[in-house]
Amino acid sequence: PLGDTLSFEVSPEWGATSPNAYKDTYGKVGYSHNLGGGFAWGVSVQQTIPVPGKSGTFQPETTLGYKWKQDVFTFGVSGGVGYNEGNYTVDDTPIGAYYLVSGTVDWKLDSKWTWNVINARYRNAFEYAWVTPKVATGFTYQIDPRQATYVSVGYAWKDTDDGYGLLGDKINVALGYKLGF
């Protein structure tokens, strides 16, 4: 496999409990490096552009992950840390630093198509309750050995310790492009 990958992603997001309510659009740029033996390190930056009257967020993040292949299936796990600039707790305290863990299952359908069966994430701030799990599924099309494009659909929940617990937050449709080198 190629040693390094650049990725670009854009996604509009709608309210999970009111799907017709557009909330924001995010853009994300990422870089990952294959460390060998199934391990990879990555870094990304996500910028969220909200509807007028709301504040946007800026989130740099870094992860370390491991993938292993079983025939046509690839299983992955990763963990990392990030920083959320722009989201606040119930008492208007900045969210700040957070941790995340995720797991993936991909199914190689043929030489061009992969079904990204599940991508599940758990994320929470270190100092405050900002629990934001998300599940997504989608498809990747391998253009050539260096390039791929993908689409995914996700559903996210949020608990900000406001007394309501974990509630549906956002539904998104992401479009992305990866370039390996």
Side-chain angles (χ1 to χ4, degrees):
L2 300 170
D4 299 284
T5 303
L6 284 175
S7 61
F8 306 92
E9 181 175 301
V10 64
S11 177
E13 297 181 301
W14 296 270
T17 56
S18 54
N20 295 329
Y22 168 75
K23 291 186 96 171
D24 56 47
T25 296
Y26 72 77
K28 188 174 186 177
V29 176
Y31 165 79
S32 67
H33 178 70
N34 182 346
L35 299 170
F39 288 94
W41 167 78
V43 63
S44 65
V45 176
Q46 178 175 308
Q47 177 71 51
T48 302
I49 302 162
V51 295
K54 300 286 185 176
S55 62
T57 62
F58 177 77
Q59 290 177 245
E61 192 173 278
T62 187
T63 58
L64 180 63
Y66 179 76
K67 286 188 177 184
W68 65 95
K69 294 185 181 200
Q70 297 288 323
D71 294 323
V72 295
F73 292 98
T74 301
F75 302 91
V77 293
S78 66
V81 294
Y83 189 84
N84 186 315
E85 178 66 42
N87 268 330
Y88 297 89
T89 63
V90 176
D91 63 358
D92 289 332
T93 304
I95 296 296
Y98 62 85
Y99 64 93
L100 69 129
V101 293
S102 65
T104 61
V105 177
D106 297 329
W107 182 2
K108 186 88 168 158
L109 301 173
D110 62 26
S111 65
K112 294 286 188 182
W113 289 97
T114 299
W115 177 18
N116 310 113
V117 179
I118 190 160
N119 184 330
R121 174 201 74 202
Y122 177 85
R123 184 173 64 183
N124 194 1
F126 285 106
E127 294 187 37
Y128 305 97
W130 182 65
V131 180
T132 57
K134 181 179 181 178
V135 294
T137 188
F139 290 92
T140 298
Y141 178 74
Q142 193 70 42
I143 299 167
D144 61 33
R146 295 180 55 229
Q147 301 178 85
T149 187
Y150 61 90
V151 62
S152 73
V153 177
Y155 188 95
W157 296 263
K158 187 183 330 184
D159 181 358
T160 57
D161 202 24
D162 58 5
Y164 294 106
L166 202 57
L167 300 173
D169 184 36
K170 295 179 181 180
I171 296 170
N172 77 302
V173 178
L175 300 172
Y177 172 78
K178 294 181 181 181
L179 175 63
F181 56 97

